Amino acid sequence: MLDWFSSTPGRLYVVGTLLPLAAFALLLTAGGLRALCRPFRKQGGFAAKVYWTLGGDTPGRGGAYLATASMAAAAVLGAIGLVLVLGDHTTGAERTARWGERADWLRIGSLDSAAPPVWEKQRETDPTRPAPGPALALEVGYKIDQLTAVVFAMVTFIGTLIFVFSLGYMKDETKETVADHEVDNQRQPTPPAPLPEGKGETDTHDAHDAHHHGTPLPSGRGDGGVGSGYSRRGRFGRFFLYLSLFCFSMLNLVIADNLFQVFVSWELVGVCSFFLIGFFYERPSAARAANKAFIVNRVGDAGFLVGIFVAWTYLGTLNFEEMNRRVRGPDPAAPGLVRVTPAGDGALPLGDARADGTHLVLRPASATKPATGTVPVPAKPVCTDHGALPYWLFVVMGVGIFLGCVGKSAQVPLQTWLPDAMEGPTPVSALIHAATMVAAGVYLVGRCHPLFAPEVLLVIAYIGAVTLFISATIALVQTDIKRVLAYSTCSQLGFMMLALGIGGWVAGLLHLITHAFFKALLFLCSGSVIHGCHHEQDLRKMGGLRAKMPITAFAMLIGVLAISGAPLLSGWYSKDMILSAALAYVSVHPEHWLLFALPALTAAMTAYYMFRLWFLAFTGRPRDVHLHDHAHESPAVMWLPLVVLVVFSVGVAWGWPLWEAHASQLGHVLEKAEPASVSAAFAAERAKEHHVHTAAGLVALVAAVAGAGLAFAVFYRKQPTPEALYARGPAWHSFLLNKWYFDEAYDAAVVKPTVALARAAAAADKRPGGATEPDGKRLDLRTLDGLLNALGQCAAALGGFLRGAQTGRVRAYVAALALTAVVMLWMLAIK
Amino acid sequence: MTELGLTPFLLLAAFLFACGVACVTVKRNAIGVLMGVELILNAANVNLVAFARFNSGFRLDGQVFALMVVVLAAAEAAVALAIVLNFYNNHATVDVDEANELKG
Amino acid sequence: MSLPVILFVVVATATAVSAVGVVASRNVVRMAVWLLFTLIGVALIYFLLGAEFAGAAQLIVYVGGTLVLVVFGVMLTAHGPLRELRTRRAEWVIGGTLGAALFVLLAAVSLELGTKEPHTAPAPGTGQIGLTFLGVTETNPPGNLSGVPGDKPIARTRVAYLLPFEIVSVHLLVVLIGAAYLARAKRRVKP
């Protein structure tokens, strides 16, 4: 057993990935069995015994403990793996063998090296067209480098803490019946009776929107408490079931060594987020938010698929290593894109590389020696040979892959799902925002960095910059505690994307890690606040909670400081690196000055809105006395993870000397995993960075202090009155409050036309008289429905006619039979 | 026998067959119908045996087939009579025209 | 006119007349009697054709078994009004026409077939039928039923009827049990 691990220590990661899956499978089996046996619970016998053994009526906690334990075990494995990876000094093939394995999952095509005939034929018409590999294989595999190890450790560690936190936070779900007042509140505006499916959806739409746009609800939540309210069974186990699957998907995504496996996990992550955001699916708002997250992510995934298809078709492999080698060449010292314009006879003049070549030269995936001179296209090409990929397709591939990341990491223009995802339970928000889902996008951009053309990187940078700015402005005015955090997540993800786009590979991914810690901390703190305030999320009703929940207040302050970029806290290191990378980039390319101006401005806004949140929630006079009186500190199972996260939020990026942002130890670790192409492509910026990073650090610091000071002045010194908080601000205020009207724009541009189209289609389907008319009465050939009905009516009429022949008189049948025999004989006899 | 040939036997069988069909068609009594069926089977048997006699390639097989038909006819008669009795028990009649519960 | 022809004409006429009797009589009991004569006539035809075993089986199974069953059925069900169920004239016409048409057609086909000369070999005996069941076609000398001769190997056809015959016998058993079950006296449950 030990040998098995010591020869290839990467298997630790496989085991760590499979542990949550095992927990998921166990919980699923147990839950399914219990549900199967439920009808027999009163009757005794084996089925009833199974039912009661598996927990009976009350949702069991055993499964939750099991899931938490498996996650903790994965975290331990992740920690061990991290130590092993960092201590492993092997290089080259040996390292590859120790920390990665590959296996075919599906192999497509013949096993010999001849190209399939169809490709030969295509090759005749288009000589530049590359042939596919001897046999394309969809693989499963894992590859552990420093980036993987760090992200894996982060995901499992934060995941474990969130699991533990959930044990306390989701305690309500362990009851046999859970009253969900939210459902009643949201359903109130609709007619009382349970509505037909489609109708209820459209009606609640408006109520939901009103709620989301920040208009205060007429009645306080949670204090209705009438006996007739909606109640359901607790779903404690199910929550942990979903969480386990979520973590498995994320871990699988992290250790994957090929795009295909990433895509599979990607979709799994998506579907898990759908389940978890819609965990309270009885609430129409939650159901809508889940749908929205899922559908918006599909838009991104469509692009991702296009990228994968291009890569598969032209590169012939989806393995990251091999793709990099094919695009960038086998020589790690000189990674670069070689663009040529093919000669008339289809040969690729490799020596004649030009910056405006129409095709990108693809190098062999496995060869080690770089080729020079003119390479004639072989008569019988195989995939491992040189080929060419039209440059615009290469850009399309990069943009496609990035589009998937845009969806998952909630970048403009697909950012709208993330704030709505706050409908899920708070630990889910923490998990989505900190450790798993949104991290997946950034992680993938980091992984695929060598596959991105410079144009794509510029797109990434600008998308990131726009996102971080827009989200921060929206976060300035939000009043829902979780929504502020959600937009801050968008904004921070924008920072990461920006950094990756301008060559700050280490900075972006370092920010991913540090952000994961302090954002998890912030979310769990907000969860603690929400829990302590009996599921009140409105900042305007809070205030003065510091005395009531000191631990949470302290932890949240640390989180706020970290995200604002207070020196020596983890966020400072990463943000400083990002800003200095941005400044370096701008000083090399002055025409892209926005790429520094926006993040610098946003750094100030970040500090402002985070401190605004903290001051509003924890300081000042209580604005809602009733709420304040009943507020309480959360139990130890909830605040212990907070304390642990505080420690990590402070020190996860430390290095020596402490005051030097670039000395971050975590950054050095990540630097080892940096693709060679990054430093090659951004050599000029790298050189510049050393000169500008003091200036950038100063800018960041000044911005943060300014933002924090402004918040201090507005929300601490000059206690805002509740009226002022509820007041409608000027136009820009409502513009921000309404999130730049993104939702409305999408609604008008996409949703409304779609619904109108669907209505039109439905109208074409239905008869003009409406659905009330009984079917089968009238023949109507003008509509689709009518046509189909007419078909049915014809069949019915024929049946009715033939029915008359079945008289039930046996002798008539015999007579008919004899008559048939006579006729047939007659036909035979009379030729 | 030689001067007789195959045809008269076939004619007799055809006549029996026609009588059987007419019997089945005409009789309202279930047992009458059953007798008609027996006539039809016998007609077929006569044919089989006659062919066996007049066709050298078909020599014994015809007789064996006839035997099997006889046995199966016996079985059929037993079952049919049981059904008729059951029908009689339930409907107090053996008129097949009354058995029209499956009428469309 | 040789004796077989005369015999055939007599027997065939009697059989045909009896068959017409079955169709024509209204009384079930009379029908049964006419059927009896028909079956005996068919058995005689078998004898005329040299198929003695088939004829004997016809007599034993049909006349001795089936017909007794039928008569029992008649006795168990034939109460006064049921003994003669009247058939409408139109149905008589239809049935008669159908039968006549069938006969005409079949007769036409039979006449077309022409007269086949019977093979000259002696009619096979009962023993040979038994051997046929075993698939044995040739023994030497033919008709020697005492066993397998020593000087000639037995020729077997690819088709033997033993297994089908066994299956038929088991089928018959099953059918008889089923019939007994179906027809058993049921105690009526009076509510």
Side-chain angles (χ1 to χ4, degrees):
Chain A
M1 191 68 191
L2 211 60
D3 285 351
W4 194 67
F5 280 121
S6 58
S7 62
T8 42
R11 285 171 181 165
L12 277 179
Y13 284 93
V14 178
V15 174
T17 304
L18 292 179
L19 271 173
L21 183 65
F24 163 77
L26 259 174
L27 284 181
L28 188 68
T29 318
L33 264 182
R34 196 175 72 161
L36 272 181
C37 296
R38 193 170 152 74
F40 312 103
R41 65 188 185 282
K42 297 257 170 67
Q43 296 168 10
F46 181 69
K49 208 170 277 175
V50 169
Y51 178 74
W52 293 113
T53 311
L54 290 175
D57 284 337
T58 45
R61 297 183 184 209
Y65 292 137
L66 182 81
T68 313
S70 73
M71 200 60 205
V76 170
L77 288 176
I80 297 173
L82 183 61
V83 171
L84 287 178
V85 168
L86 296 185
D88 194 344
H89 295 298
T90 53
T91 47
E94 193 189 348
R95 190 182 180 92
T96 313
R98 274 172 68 78
W99 293 101
E101 283 174 282
R102 300 164 65 176
D104 283 1
W105 187 38
L106 281 176
R107 187 165 272 278
I108 298 166
S110 56
L111 279 169
D112 60 7
S113 58
V118 58
W119 283 86
E120 300 263 298
K121 196 163 278 176
Q122 282 171 346
R123 182 130 195 136
E124 277 163 23
T125 52
D126 177 14
T128 60
R129 194 176 179 87
L136 298 178
L138 290 180
E139 295 180 333
V140 286
Y142 65 91
K143 166 121 178 46
I144 315 294
D145 60 0
Q146 286 85 355
L147 173 63
T148 308
V150 168
V151 174
F152 191 97
M154 180 271 283
V155 170
T156 49
F157 183 70
I158 293 180
T160 309
L161 293 181
I162 288 170
F163 272 56
V164 172
F165 183 86
S166 307
L167 287 176
Y169 187 85
M170 301 304 283
K171 200 166 189 147
D172 283 353
E173 295 290 330
T174 55
K175 292 180 197 150
E176 204 166 321
T177 52
V178 180
D180 197 340
H181 305 297
E182 193 71 11
V183 175
D184 302 325
N185 283 342
Q186 290 185 10
R187 286 190 180 164
Q188 237 153 32
T190 65
L195 290 158
E197 201 80 15
K199 193 100 161 114
E201 196 61 33
T202 52
D203 279 353
T204 48
H205 179 115
D206 300 328
H208 169 67
D209 271 0
H211 163 60
H212 266 201
H213 296 164
T215 20
L217 281 173
S219 65
R221 280 179 282 188
D223 51 3
V226 270
S228 62
Y230 177 83
S231 64
R232 59 176 168 79
R233 203 157 163 278
R235 294 196 281 250
F236 198 59
R238 190 186 296 185
F239 185 71
F240 282 87
L241 173 97
Y242 291 153
L243 280 191
S244 295
L245 186 61
F246 203 169
C247 285
F248 158 72
S249 326
M250 185 61 200
L251 295 178
N252 191 26
L253 193 152
V254 170
I255 67 168
D257 73 340
N258 61 71
L259 261 187
F260 171 71
Q261 198 176 341
V262 164
F263 184 74
V264 171
S265 325
W266 194 262
E267 296 301 325
L268 267 177
V269 170
V271 78
C272 288
S273 74
F274 172 79
F275 288 143
L276 283 168
I277 294 168
F279 186 71
F280 301 125
Y281 54 79
E282 294 90 349
R283 304 177 186 170
S285 62
R288 271 174 56 80
N291 283 339
K292 189 170 175 182
F294 200 66
I295 292 167
V296 171
N297 266 302
R298 291 288 76 65
V299 177
D301 290 348
F304 192 11
L305 267 181
V306 169
I308 290 181
F309 290 158
V310 173
W312 175 257
T313 312
Y314 280 89
L315 306 184
T317 173
L318 291 178
N319 184 283
F320 288 126
E321 291 272 305
E322 290 182 355
M323 285 198 293
N324 295 355
R325 230 174 297 149
R326 259 174 91 58
V327 170
R328 299 265 171 188
D331 186 6
L337 306 171
V338 178
R339 292 171 65 175
V340 297
T341 306
D345 57 352
L348 299 171
L350 278 193
D352 185 25
R354 279 186 294 176
D356 60 343
T358 56
H359 282 63
L360 180 76
V361 174
L362 298 178
R363 264 70 69 89
S366 52
T368 50
K369 192 162 53 80
T372 49
T374 300
V375 175
V377 175
K380 201 169 175 77
V382 290
C383 181
T384 49
D385 267 311
H386 292 262
L389 161 62
Y391 193 72
W392 66 272
L393 262 179
F394 184 57
V395 173
V396 163
M397 180 181 101
V399 170
I401 293 176
F402 176 60
L403 196 57
C405 303
V406 165
K408 271 284 179 291
S409 286
Q411 302 290 296
V412 171
L414 299 180
Q415 88 287 20
T416 55
W417 68 269
L418 189 61
D420 282 14
M422 294 299 112
E423 287 294 339
T426 307
V428 172
S429 311
L431 200 58
I432 289 180
H433 285 251
T436 53
M437 189 150 162
V438 296
V442 178
Y443 174 82
L444 189 67
V445 171
R447 264 272 167 262
C448 296
H449 204 277
L451 299 179
F452 292 141
E455 290 85 351
V456 179
L457 289 178
L458 198 61
V459 169
I460 294 176
Y462 266 101
I463 293 273
V466 170
T467 307
L468 66 91
F469 179 71
I470 288 181
S471 311
T473 56
I474 296 171
L476 291 177
V477 296
Q478 294 298 316
T479 55
D480 183 315
I481 184 167
K482 283 173 76 176
R483 234 156 242 278
V484 176
L485 292 179
Y487 280 107
S488 96
T489 305
C490 277
S491 177
Q492 301 301 313
L493 290 167
F495 272 105
M496 300 172 206
M497 288 295 184
L498 169 69
L500 289 167
I502 56 175
W505 195 86
V506 175
L509 291 168
L510 179 65
H511 197 55
L512 174 69
I513 307 290
T514 58
H515 170 260
F517 281 102
F518 57 68
K519 189 45 67 69
L521 172 64
L522 285 168
F523 262 110
L524 292 190
C525 284
S526 79
S528 176
V529 170
I530 292 165
H531 188 75
C533 293
H534 304 281
H535 296 275
E536 179 53 65
Q537 303 188 3
D538 195 340
L539 279 173
R540 294 168 297 193
K541 294 191 181 156
M542 296 175 186
L545 290 173
R546 190 176 43 178
K548 286 282 186 175
M549 32 181 79
I551 303 172
T552 307
F554 167 73
M556 193 132 187
L557 181 60
I558 298 292
V560 167
L561 283 171
I563 194 175
S564 310
L568 304 190
L569 270 63
S570 61
W572 177 69
Y573 293 91
S574 50
K575 203 168 269 185
D576 203 50
M577 283 172 81
I578 291 177
L579 281 175
S580 56
L583 189 54
Y585 187 83
V586 170
S587 55
V588 174
H589 308 281
E591 69 274 20
H592 298 308
W593 57 274
L594 264 179
L595 293 183
F596 179 71
L598 285 179
L601 186 59
T602 306
M605 288 198 283
T606 309
Y608 173 80
Y609 66 69
M610 288 316 298
F611 274 99
R612 166 179 176 270
L613 182 152
W614 195 78
F615 288 137
L616 276 178
F618 292 104
T619 66
R621 284 186 308 278
R623 279 179 292 276
D624 187 331
V625 180
H626 174 81
L627 185 78
H628 187 261
D629 285 349
H630 288 80
H632 58 81
E633 181 60 275
S634 304
V637 70
M638 289 170 69
W639 63 253
L640 269 179
L642 298 186
V643 174
V644 177
L645 280 173
V646 162
V647 172
F648 276 87
S649 300
V650 173
V652 73
W654 274 356
W656 188 257
L658 263 187
W659 54 87
E660 187 69 50
H662 283 75
S664 164
Q665 198 58 44
L666 192 59
H668 290 317
V669 169
L670 289 174
E671 220 167 306
K672 287 181 198 154
E674 190 182 56
S677 62
V678 182
S679 52
F682 294 96
E685 287 86 343
R686 284 290 157 87
K688 201 87 177 173
E689 200 169 332
H690 297 293
H691 304 298
V692 299
H693 81 246
T694 319
L698 271 178
V699 169
L701 198 58
V702 169
V705 169
L710 189 60
F712 182 77
V714 175
F715 295 101
Y716 190 74
R717 297 297 293 275
K718 197 186 89 182
Q719 294 279 326
T721 56
E723 291 75 36
L725 288 176
Y726 282 112
R728 284 200 164 276
W732 62 267
H733 184 261
S734 58
F735 178 69
L736 294 183
L737 202 58
N738 285 325
K739 304 164 272 183
W740 290 45
Y741 293 104
F742 264 106
D743 276 334
E744 284 73 6
Y746 287 161
D747 201 41
V750 180
V751 180
K752 287 248 169 67
T754 310
V755 171
L757 186 67
R759 289 242 163 82
D765 271 3
K766 279 198 193 119
R767 343 180 126 200
T772 52
E773 199 173 336
D775 284 338
K777 288 287 173 207
R778 206 181 69 186
L779 208 60
D780 170 28
L781 296 177
R782 269 173 308 175
T783 64
L784 214 57
D785 240 17
L787 274 177
L788 290 176
N789 279 344
L791 213 62
Q793 284 165 15
C794 283
L798 187 66
F801 170 70
L802 289 177
R803 205 174 100 163
Q806 192 172 356
T807 55
R809 291 168 61 211
V810 185
R811 292 184 302 129
Y813 298 166
V814 174
L817 193 68
L819 187 65
T820 314
V822 167
V823 172
M824 284 173 72
L825 262 179
W826 181 67
M827 283 162 67
L828 284 176
I830 312 300
K831 294 195 186 79
Chain B
M1 210 72 238
T2 41
E3 63 265 44
L4 206 51
L6 179 62
T7 314
F9 294 97
L10 294 189
L11 286 178
L12 174 66
F15 187 76
L16 285 180
F17 187 83
C19 284
V21 168
C23 190
V24 169
T25 322
V26 164
K27 299 291 178 196
R28 281 172 65 191
N29 193 323
I31 294 175
V33 175
L34 182 60
M35 291 179 195
V37 175
E38 301 289 350
L39 275 182
I40 293 174
L41 288 171
N42 267 291
N45 262 357
V46 168
N47 264 6
L48 285 172
V49 175
F51 281 131
R53 179 78 182 91
F54 290 98
N55 191 333
S56 55
F58 197 48
R59 213 166 136 204
L60 277 165
D61 305 293
Q63 289 195 34
V64 172
F65 260 95
L67 282 173
M68 295 214 181
V69 170
V70 168
V71 173
L72 286 179
E76 170 255 329
V79 172
L81 275 171
I83 290 171
V84 167
L85 281 183
N86 231 337
F87 182 71
Y88 179 74
N89 279 340
N90 290 333
H91 291 77
T93 180
V94 285
D95 188 355
V96 288
D97 285 358
E98 296 291 320
N100 58 0
E101 273 112 32
L102 288 181
K103 175 168 70 179
Chain C
M1 283 262 268
S2 59
L3 183 64
V5 177
I6 296 169
L7 273 179
F8 174 78
V9 169
V10 173
V11 173
T13 313
T15 312
V17 168
S18 319
V20 171
V22 172
V23 180
S25 61
R26 291 217 179 94
N27 192 312
V28 197
V29 184
R30 284 191 192 161
M31 272 166 69
V33 175
W34 282 122
L35 184 65
L36 171 70
F37 290 140
T38 317
L39 293 177
I40 291 174
V42 170
L44 290 177
I45 296 283
Y46 290 170
F47 286 126
L48 271 180
L49 282 167
E52 292 90 355
F53 185 72
Q58 166 94 0
L59 276 181
I60 294 167
V61 177
Y62 255 120
V63 182
T66 310
L67 204 67
V68 171
L69 263 180
V70 172
V71 171
F72 264 104
V74 170
M75 279 158 57
L76 283 170
T77 58
H79 290 263
L82 293 180
R83 202 169 297 167
E84 293 181 35
L85 285 167
R86 299 235 167 221
T87 311
R88 281 202 302 274
R89 189 177 296 272
E91 288 173 337
W92 273 112
V93 172
I94 292 173
T97 318
L98 271 177
L102 259 179
F103 175 67
V104 169
L105 281 168
L106 287 173
V109 175
S110 309
L111 288 172
E112 230 170 79
L113 268 178
T115 299
K116 271 258 165 68
E117 286 304 311
H119 42 82
T120 48
T126 315
Q128 203 127 27
I129 293 180
L131 287 176
T132 307
F133 279 120
L134 291 170
V136 178
T137 47
E138 245 180 300
T139 55
N140 189 25
N144 182 357
L145 307 179
S146 60
V148 184
D151 59 334
K152 202 173 175 188
I154 307 167
R156 282 177 187 271
T157 51
R158 293 226 304 276
V159 192
Y161 293 102
L162 195 59
L163 185 64
F165 201 71
E166 286 299 329
I167 290 173
V168 164
S169 66
V170 172
H171 171 244
L172 186 57
L173 179 67
V174 171
V175 157
L176 285 178
I177 293 171
Y181 171 77
L182 266 180
R184 80 191 194 284
K186 293 183 192 69
R187 188 171 297 144
R188 298 235 170 173
V189 183
K190 290 254 173 178

